Amino acid sequence: MNDIQKPSAGELASHACGTLLNIGSRPDQQDSIAVSDLSDEALYAQRGALLTLADGMGGLSNGSAVSRLLVDALQRAFVQRPVDTDPAPWLLELLGDANHQVNQMLEGKAPSGSTLVMALVQGDQLYHLSVGDSRIYLARGEGLILLNREQTYGRKLDMTLLKEILPASAVASHPQRRSLTNYVGMGDLEEVDRNTIPLTLLPGDTVLLLSDGVFNTLSESEIASALRSNPDTAAIRLERMVLEHRKPYQDNFSGILYRYGR
């Protein structure tokens, strides 16, 4: 590994981060989040920032244990990553190793699993990866851009000839529409949504990782409206907005808000 040379303050991209994690009205917290140590200037200068959010499957046992193992495994591997590793294939390898650990943990136990969204920011370059239906957004100006594609039965319906056979209302209201078709812990992953060419961030951009407890309660316009302040305040506002909807069966909800060039 190369010798670490502590960068000057001017060489470091300015950033800020806020998080939210709430149990909602559920008996257990199945969501887990983790952010690499942004106060460690050497770590950030050499490896960037790793944001990880996992939503354990509440309908299955061990969902909270799976999501926690997942984000912990990813963050441990991140600090050990060789500095000259190509980020895009490394993220895929990292996912494979973490999925293997989850599958090992679940061996002989009841089926379980977790979604995952992961973002790596190096300077002004953003790499992202997702499994399941949690979301990664880019907030730029007044707009909110969804960066990943969900892996649900509803998406499969929308992409097949079934939508040409079934009435549109039947496709839109299918009872299994929100069912996951891919998740960490299912064995071999069928699909991974990721970018291989990094997205260049602009000063003021905010990267959001959100579990479905947020975006199934708030509209995109509501989410965007909360981002007009710093990430800490925006995270508090998002949490308050979700709770103000007073949904009787509010899911666990979580998020990470990373602002580049604050």
Side-chain angles (χ1 to χ4, degrees):
M1 184 176 294
N2 296 339
D3 292 336
I4 295 177
Q5 295 182 348
K6 186 174 181 179
S8 67
E11 294 174 317
L12 292 174
S14 60
H15 53 216
C17 191
T19 61
L20 60 148
L21 182 66
N22 194 294
I23 197 170
S25 61
R26 300 297 174 88
D28 302 301
Q29 177 59 267
Q30 306 283 336
D31 289 9
S32 295
I33 59 175
V35 178
S36 58
D37 186 358
L38 300 182
S39 67
D40 186 333
E41 293 185 352
L43 176 67
Y44 180 76
Q46 286 204 328
R47 294 181 174 85
L50 184 68
L51 322 174
T52 50
L53 182 152
D55 180 358
M57 298 172 67
L60 302 177
S61 61
N62 299 309
S64 59
V66 171
S67 68
R68 188 73 256 166
L69 170 63
L70 187 53
V71 297
D72 287 348
L74 294 168
Q75 291 292 337
R76 282 196 304 270
F78 174 69
V79 299
Q80 299 169 358
R81 168 181 171 248
V83 295
D84 57 351
T85 307
D86 188 357
W90 176 76
L91 284 180
L92 192 60
E93 180 181 343
L94 190 62
L95 169 63
D97 290 342
N99 185 53
H100 178 68
Q101 291 183 50
V102 169
N103 288 328
Q104 280 190 319
M105 185 192 80
L106 294 175
E107 190 171 353
K109 298 180 181 179
S112 190
S114 176
T115 72
L116 171 70
V117 280
M118 176 165 47
L120 173 64
V121 181
Q122 291 188 310
D124 63 353
Q125 303 293 287
L126 169 65
Y127 298 86
H128 58 82
L129 176 154
S130 66
V131 177
D133 65 348
S134 295
R135 292 184 181 177
I136 307 172
Y137 283 102
L138 174 67
R140 175 171 290 174
E142 298 297 318
L144 199 62
I145 306 165
L146 181 61
L147 298 181
N148 66 324
R149 293 168 293 184
E150 63 182 20
Q151 295 152 15
T152 61
Y153 187 63
R155 177 170 166 255
K156 282 196 171 185
L157 281 177
D158 292 341
M159 295 175 63
T160 66
L161 290 176
L162 285 176
K163 69 179 181 180
E164 304 296 335
I165 301 172
L166 298 174
S169 59
V171 172
S173 62
H174 195 285
Q176 292 183 303
R177 185 169 183 83
R178 296 305 307 170
S179 298
L180 295 179
T181 56
N182 199 39
Y183 55 88
V184 177
M186 65 181 290
D188 293 333
L189 295 172
E190 295 182 359
E191 180 182 5
V192 177
D193 191 87
R194 66 191 184 111
N195 64 332
T196 56
I197 299 174
L199 175 67
T200 299
L201 298 175
L202 301 178
D205 281 353
T206 301
V207 180
L208 295 91
L209 279 60
L210 301 174
S211 70
D212 63 352
V214 177
F215 58 78
N216 282 341
T217 300
L218 302 180
S219 67
E220 290 188 350
S221 61
E222 286 177 304
I223 294 171
S225 72
L227 304 179
R228 294 168 186 157
S229 50
N230 66 70
D232 275 332
T233 302
I236 293 170
R237 187 175 179 190
L238 276 176
E239 183 174 13
R240 183 183 303 121
M241 290 168 67
V242 171
L243 295 175
E244 285 174 349
H245 276 258
R246 300 184 183 279
K247 291 177 66 173
Y249 303 106
Q250 174 61 53
D251 194 4
N252 307 149
F253 61 97
S254 58
I256 301 173
L257 292 70
Y258 176 94
R259 182 161 298 162
Y260 171 76
R262 60 185 174 185

